[in-house]
Amino acid sequence: MRRSLAAWWKSEALLIAAAFVAGVTGCTAGGDTETEAADAKVGGSTASPAPPGRYHTLLTPCRSVERSTLKDLLPGVLTLPEDQQQKVLRGTASPTFDTDRRAACSWMSQAPDASQQLRVDFERVVSYDPVVSDESKAQGVFTKKQSAATGSLGGTPSTSGATGLEPRVLSGLGDAAYIDDVLARARSTAQRRTVTVVFRASNVIVTIDYTEQPARVTKVPDSKELQEKAQSLARKLAELFDE
């Protein structure tokens, strides 16, 4: 009787131990499966980083405009002695902390009948959001500039009012472009017209400001001439970015 009872307890103990081991193994296996599934879910939701912009550096604005083009835009230069001509044509670089992110240059000439000013600005846009590309970020910056400058691009009181010369979108120039035309009216001084052309080349935004102010108060700067010259320069600069 004692042997039978001892054998029975031994048999029960073995069964309990076997059940315990099986339960522990099952929990461990299930835990591993859940962990792997969670890892797979996280890995599957990871998005690829947006591609960087095409341009990693900027051109030097003061060297980007040909001398012949500058002489056409700034005719007053031709009235100066040779050494002064060279000084004006070299331009004046704008101060900047990082020339690979922002760089600008300006030129100015004075003639007996009028004065002209030219400014060229290069801005390289960088997106710090891994899911937004530099080019997309640049398009956002460009759109804000366009809206601030020209609104709906349907013409403003500051323009000449001539058909086809109102602020407008430009086609065939970079990836996106527009032109603005502002005439500053003043009673005591000559009227000054500034034509602005802005275009985007991938992740770089180029801004051209071309201003003319006649010496005579009664004369109004010609909108068509200034727009044609500013657009011609813009096309030449766009070709540099395409090289």
Side-chain angles (χ1 to χ4, degrees):
M1 180 67 179
R2 290 182 178 179
R3 289 184 179 179
S4 298
L5 184 60
W8 181 81
W9 278 113
K10 183 177 182 181
S11 176
E12 287 297 315
L14 291 174
L15 289 174
I16 293 172
F20 178 78
V21 172
V24 172
T25 304
C27 292
T28 304
D32 290 342
T33 302
E34 292 176 1
T35 301
E36 291 173 1
D39 292 342
K41 184 177 181 181
V42 172
S45 64
T46 301
S48 300
R54 177 180 179 183
Y55 303 103
H56 304 284
T57 59
L58 286 174
L59 301 174
T60 303
C62 289
R63 299 178 183 176
S64 299
V65 185
E66 297 178 351
R67 294 296 177 93
S68 59
T69 300
L70 287 172
K71 290 178 180 180
D72 180 54
L73 294 169
L74 310 169
V77 172
L78 301 177
T79 65
L80 300 174
E82 182 64 25
D83 59 335
Q84 294 185 32
Q85 284 191 33
Q86 297 305 316
K87 182 179 179 180
V88 172
L89 294 176
R90 282 195 294 269
T92 302
S94 300
T96 180
F97 293 103
D98 186 354
T99 55
D100 284 335
R101 288 293 303 277
R102 191 73 178 264
C105 188
S106 58
W107 299 262
M108 183 174 64
S109 70
Q110 181 75 44
D113 60 335
S115 63
Q116 292 85 19
Q117 296 180 25
L118 173 67
R119 188 175 189 274
V120 174
D121 181 283
F122 297 155
E123 179 183 2
R124 185 173 67 90
V125 180
V126 178
S127 171
Y128 294 100
D129 188 335
V131 299
V132 178
S133 67
D134 293 344
E135 186 167 348
S136 296
K137 179 71 173 180
Q139 180 59 35
V141 174
F142 173 86
T143 300
K144 288 182 180 180
K145 290 173 67 70
Q146 175 179 295
S147 299
T150 58
S152 61
L153 295 173
T156 66
S158 62
T159 64
S160 65
T163 303
L165 297 177
E166 65 279 353
R168 61 198 182 277
V169 172
L170 298 176
S171 59
L173 178 60
D175 296 308
Y178 71 87
I179 186 170
D180 192 17
D181 188 328
V182 176
L183 182 64
R185 301 179 182 277
R187 295 180 180 179
S188 59
T189 60
Q191 299 182 79
R192 180 179 61 188
R193 183 180 296 282
T194 299
V195 171
T196 301
V197 176
V198 181
F199 71 88
R200 178 180 66 82
S202 185
N203 61 315
V204 172
I205 296 176
V206 177
T207 302
I208 299 169
D209 292 313
Y210 183 41
T211 303
E212 180 175 282
Q213 180 172 324
R216 290 185 297 171
V217 177
T218 57
K219 186 175 180 180
V220 178
D222 185 80
S223 181
K224 183 178 180 181
E225 180 182 4
L226 267 64
Q227 287 195 23
E228 289 178 347
K229 289 185 176 182
Q231 289 185 74
S232 177
L233 173 58
R235 287 191 291 270
K236 292 177 180 179
L237 293 177
E239 290 176 358
L240 294 179
F241 281 95
D242 288 336
E243 291 179 353

